[in-house]
């Protein structure tokens, strides 16, 4: 297993008393303390996709006090989204997801900075969107955008947390080309076509489960605690209530 090199960001200068009070349950964790919380405050995270996976990721990163979060999604909220995308309500239907998400998230925590980007991540736009961030979260639902995200992160030397769901199963991993591990190691020969959620469906609560794991990996990576899912793919079988692990062989530190 490839080991994580340590905390991703330096701790910010200080925490105000009201921040210490708000994040007390995180600060009291063994190995975290005020320094870990200061690292979260320093971090700049870009979340690509504000749907079934991106919603819980965003809510937990916001709740944890990640200092700057960029929400990237070029889609609008539809009624069929509400079955699993609990960040939105009926009043959000027809609105841009990035804008609706940021409006809701600001109500959850007004101590952090949130930005909405209603653009599609493409080979042309990715570098501009990701620049200035410390970590990227891949929470989209299509392989072409995932591969574009992975390639841009490789070019910018950015780690990224990846999650995917289909029907009743989910997967999570962490990639960083610096460690010789990228999404293309998992998909050396990308399939020409992937099943669409419209065809195979998705169990709503599972997206919350997978998204929560993704958010946890983000916090671990930023603070340098625990063992991030680098060199491993977590496989979640919802109906079987089982979690297993697939080792991923990388190419070694780059």
């Amino acid at each position: 297993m490839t080991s994580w090199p340590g905390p991703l960001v330096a701790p910010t200068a200080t925490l105000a008393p009201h921040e210490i009070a708000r994040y007390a349950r995180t600060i009291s964790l063994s190995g975290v303390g005020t320094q870990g919380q200061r690292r979260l405050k320093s971090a700049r995270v870009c979340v690509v996709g504000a749907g079934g996976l991106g919603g819980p990721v965003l809510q937990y990163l916001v709740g944890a006090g990640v200092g700057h979060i960029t929400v990237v999604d070029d889609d609008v909220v539809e009624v069929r989204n509400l079955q699993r995308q609990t960040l939105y309500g009926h009043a959000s239907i027809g609105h841009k997801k990035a804008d609706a998400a940021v409006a809701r998230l600001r109500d959850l925590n007004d101590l952090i900075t949130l930005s909405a980007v209603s653009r599609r991540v493409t080979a042309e736009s990715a570098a501009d969107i990701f620049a200035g961030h410390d970590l990227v979260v891949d929470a989209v639902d299509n392989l072409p955008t995932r591969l574009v995200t992975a390639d841009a992160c490789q070019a910018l030397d950015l780690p990224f947390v990846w999650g995917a769901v289909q029907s009743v199963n989910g997967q999570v991993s962490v990639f960083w080309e610096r460690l010789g591990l990228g999404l293309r190691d998992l998909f050396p020969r990308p399939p020409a076509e992937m099943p669409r959620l419209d065809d195979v469906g998705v169990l709503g609560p599972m997206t919350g489960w997978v998204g929560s794991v993704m958010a946890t990996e983000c916090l671990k990576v930023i603070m340098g605690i625990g063992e991030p899912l680098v060199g491993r793919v977590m496989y979640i079988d919802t109906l079987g209530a089982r979690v297993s692990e697939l080792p991923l062989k990388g190419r070694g530190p780059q």
Side-chain angles (χ1 to χ4, degrees):
M1 181 182 70
T2 304
S3 61
W4 195 258
L8 188 62
V9 300
T12 195
T14 186
L15 293 172
H18 63 276
E19 292 175 302
I20 293 175
R22 183 181 186 112
Y23 306 124
R25 294 298 184 272
T26 305
I27 292 171
S28 63
L29 289 170
S30 176
V32 176
T34 56
Q35 180 161 288
Q37 189 64 51
R38 286 163 57 206
R39 293 188 193 280
L40 294 178
K41 184 177 178 179
S42 295
R44 299 176 62 89
V45 178
C46 182
V47 179
V48 184
L53 293 179
V57 170
L58 288 163
Q59 290 177 86
Y60 280 113
L61 295 187
V62 165
V66 172
H68 183 105
I69 301 173
T70 301
V71 183
V72 183
D73 199 307
D74 71 331
D75 206 352
V76 298
V77 180
E78 301 178 65
V79 68
R80 62 179 181 172
N81 300 146
L82 303 184
Q83 163 256 8
R84 63 195 180 281
Q85 298 179 20
T86 56
L87 188 60
Y88 311 110
H90 285 282
S92 302
I93 294 173
H95 292 270
K96 293 180 178 179
K97 282 186 180 178
D99 293 335
V102 165
R104 170 62 179 139
L105 296 168
R106 283 192 175 127
D107 184 54
L108 296 180
N109 189 348
D110 61 357
L111 301 180
I112 68 173
T113 301
L114 288 153
S115 301
V117 177
S118 297
R119 296 170 62 189
R120 180 173 292 274
V121 172
T122 65
E124 293 73 31
S125 69
D128 179 54
I129 293 172
F130 297 165
H133 293 88
D134 302 301
L135 177 68
V136 173
V137 179
D138 173 359
V140 300
D141 61 0
N142 68 88
L143 187 58
T145 303
R146 294 186 185 281
L147 294 175
V148 166
T149 297
D151 292 344
C153 287
Q154 177 180 357
L156 296 169
D157 189 29
L158 288 172
F160 68 101
V161 174
W162 169 84
V165 294
Q166 187 176 100
S167 185
V168 295
N169 301 314
Q171 300 173 66
V172 183
S173 191
V174 179
F175 298 103
W176 198 0
E177 283 291 337
R178 185 183 296 187
L179 303 179
L181 288 157
L183 186 63
R184 290 186 182 274
D185 293 307
L186 183 59
F187 294 105
R189 298 179 183 84
E193 188 175 355
M194 298 286 285
R196 300 185 316 133
L197 292 186
D198 285 347
D199 298 327
V200 300
V202 61
L203 186 64
M206 181 190 60
T207 63
W209 185 358
V210 176
S212 296
V213 174
M214 293 169 69
T216 302
E217 291 304 303
C218 290
L219 302 185
K220 288 159 59 179
V221 165
I222 292 168
M223 294 188 287
I225 63 173
E227 298 180 9
L229 279 166
V230 58
R232 301 177 289 151
V233 179
M234 176 187 286
Y235 181 80
I236 298 171
D237 171 8
T238 308
L239 295 188
R242 293 181 176 89
V243 176
S244 55
E245 209 175 83
L246 170 71
L248 181 62
K249 186 176 181 180
R251 289 156 278 117
Q254 303 297 294

